[in-house]
Amino acid sequence: MSAVLDNYEYLSSITGQMRDAAQQGEWDHLVELELKCSERVAAMKAQPSAPSDEETRQRKVALIKKILADDAEIRNRTEVWMEQLQRIMTSARSERRLQQAYSAGQ
């Protein structure tokens, strides 16, 4: 297998793990995996691109589609989590203001 496909296989594996972490709410693990993914992408950008045969190109396209599908699922999961976190923070702020107002009135 070519180095290019090795890189895409690695990214596909990592994004799959990221998707699983997001589905399970393992946010710290998701962040660790995202760092690994970012490092690999940066390394790939630094490598020269070489022409590939049709089979390699098709495999690369399939891997990219899988990576993008994983990314979409990760975004869906993290957006829901962020919305929940926002609601919790808003509720906590409202509760704190209410307690302060109640305490000031006594």
Side-chain angles (χ1 to χ4, degrees):
M1 191 180 316
S2 73
V4 170
L5 280 183
D6 287 345
N7 283 324
Y8 281 98
E9 291 283 354
Y10 179 82
L11 286 178
S12 177
S13 172
I14 292 294
T15 59
Q17 292 174 51
M18 290 170 65
R19 182 199 61 234
D20 293 345
Q23 288 172 339
Q24 296 169 13
E26 296 175 354
W27 308 117
D28 292 338
H29 187 55
L30 176 62
V31 170
E32 292 170 14
L33 292 168
E34 197 281 328
L35 181 59
K36 287 183 180 180
C37 188
S38 295
E39 289 170 351
R40 181 58 61 107
V41 168
M44 288 171 68
K45 287 180 180 180
Q47 295 175 347
S49 180
S52 56
D53 60 32
E54 185 60 23
E55 182 180 339
T56 301
R57 189 189 70 72
Q58 287 179 1
R59 180 66 182 142
K60 183 177 168 182
V61 167
L63 288 166
I64 290 170
K65 287 180 179 180
K66 190 249 182 216
I67 290 166
L68 292 173
D70 288 343
D71 182 65
E73 177 64 19
I74 293 163
R75 287 180 192 277
N76 287 339
R77 297 289 178 154
T78 56
E79 285 174 2
V80 168
W81 177 74
M82 291 296 288
E83 289 170 4
Q84 291 172 343
L85 184 59
Q86 182 64 38
R87 281 194 297 275
I88 290 168
M89 291 175 66
T90 299
S91 176
R93 272 189 232 117
S94 296
E95 185 176 327
R96 190 172 30 251
R97 283 188 209 125
L98 181 61
Q99 287 175 347
Q100 288 172 346
Y102 181 75
S103 296
Q106 289 186 341

